Amino acid sequence: MKARIISTGYYLPERILTNKDLEKMVDTTEEWITQRTGILERRIASENEATSDMGSAAGAAALEKAGVSPGDVDTVICATITPDHLFPSTACLIQKKLKLSNAFAYDISAACSGFLYSLASAESLLKSGAAETVLVVAAEKMSSITDWKDRSTCVLFGDGAGAALLKRDDSGRGILSTYMKSDGNMGDLLIVPAGGSRMPASEKTVAGRLHYLRMQGNEVFKVAVRNMLESAQAVAEEAGIHSDEINLVIPHQANLRIIDAIAKRLKLGKDQVYVNLDRTGNTSAASIAISLAEADSQSILKEGDNIILVSFGAGFTWAGVALQW
Ligand code: UT7
């Protein structure tokens, strides 16, 4: 018996912010952003659009595609680091919006690894029998924690949401293996300093721009490549998938140079690696969820395909999931 993704959905906000637009906002160039990151444009949510709105749109799409009625969902897990509020959880807000009246709901905070941590949690609930139908949503309004005066970070991020609906399955398809790791020692390299109990919001924190994301990008870069590789190899090995049997790797979309480095070490061709960060930027937890749902909607994923999902994010957190589609 395995936990299987029976449908997916995604949502991207309408507004497109291009590298040319960013040239007018900070001291940067279209060329620098394209060459250093691979990002050409990203989507930005409207002012009155919050994380739960995007997450609900993605979740509704997944439910509709599967033909599952809202009352049949018993668990909602939302991966996000940009919740609508400190509490209640964004998962509870999504539950309300989608009328998932028979579900219990909670958030997972694991930054860019949030979707994979959530899939692993969903798998455990399904396999133990504690859940029958789990809606995993990964949604981020990264623009709400972006310092639009900091050129080293504001060119990187975007908004959006993806969702996956999971059920138990005895066909042999589904999640084959999962791998989750964290290292809190390096948390300061990627952080929103204020707004929590350590540094509650005050005039001083606002003046100091401490509610925005701060990242030491080049330090994060090195660890990301190493740990995403480790995750991919660990899940593939546990699932018994040899490198020449991998149909598609969907990596977290942070930087094309990171993705290329992983693809090279795993000896993967271009068509074996899913990339959309040229259009989406880094959407944190939502990144792999959006990618998976896009690949699903484009029929890139074929029944029986071996797929590896791999992530790295703040915390630090990193994870891998191997699945047979
Ligand atoms: O999603 C969670 C995990 N996050 C990641 O995996 C992100 C990992 N890091 C990265 O993707 C890259 O490190 C960045 C894209 C963030 C930065 O690229 P980099 O090649 O590591 O650049 P750098 O930070 O070493 O900066 C190189 C230069 C610096 O100038 P100097 O000191 O060499 O004169 C920066 O000031 O580039 C400068 N720079 C920029 N120049 C133009 C930084 N940002 C910009 C910019 N436009 N937007």
Side-chain angles (χ1 to χ4, degrees), residues 27-29 32-33 36-37 112 151-152 155-157 190 215 217-218 220-221 224 252 254-255 257-258 282 312-314:
D27 178 18
T28 191
T29 61
W32 191 96
I33 305 170
R36 295 290 181 119
T37 70
C112 308
R151 71 172 184 174
S152 72
V155 302
L156 304 173
F157 296 97
L190 181 45
M215 175 167 73
N218 43 15
V220 176
F221 191 105
H252 171 51
N255 189 315
R257 290 184 293 140
I258 295 179
N282 180 348
F312 181 82

Side-chain angles (χ1 to χ4, degrees), residues 113 116-117 179-181 231-232 309-312 317-321:
S113 299
L116 300 196
Y117 274 39
Y179 182 79
M180 289 185 282
K181 289 274 177 177
S231 307
L309 314 177
V310 62
S311 67
F312 181 82
T317 59
W318 58 104
V321 171

Side-chain angles (χ1 to χ4, degrees), residues 48 85 131 259:
N48 55 11
H85 310 283
I259 295 174

Side-chain angles (χ1 to χ4, degrees), residues 113-124:
S113 299
F115 180 58
L116 300 196
Y117 274 39
S118 301
L119 286 183
S121 302
E123 186 206 24
S124 298

Side-chain angles (χ1 to χ4, degrees), residues 10-19 22 33-34 37-45 155-160 250 253-256 259 273-283 287-298 300:
Y10 70 100
Y11 171 83
L12 289 169
E14 259 174 51
R15 187 181 153 213
I16 294 173
L17 185 71
T18 65
N19 293 349
L22 282 159
I33 305 170
T34 307
T37 70
I39 300 164
L40 305 180
E41 60 186 43
R42 67 288 291 144
R43 297 299 180 103
I44 304 294
V155 302
L156 304 173
F157 296 97
D159 301 332
I250 303 182
Q253 310 281 314
N255 189 315
L256 192 58
I259 295 174
V273 185
Y274 193 82
V275 176
N276 65 3
L277 97 161
D278 51 327
R279 293 177 283 111
T280 62
N282 180 348
T283 57
S287 125
I288 298 175
I290 295 169
S291 303
L292 183 72
E294 275 189 357
D296 187 17
S297 71
Q298 294 161 11
I300 291 172

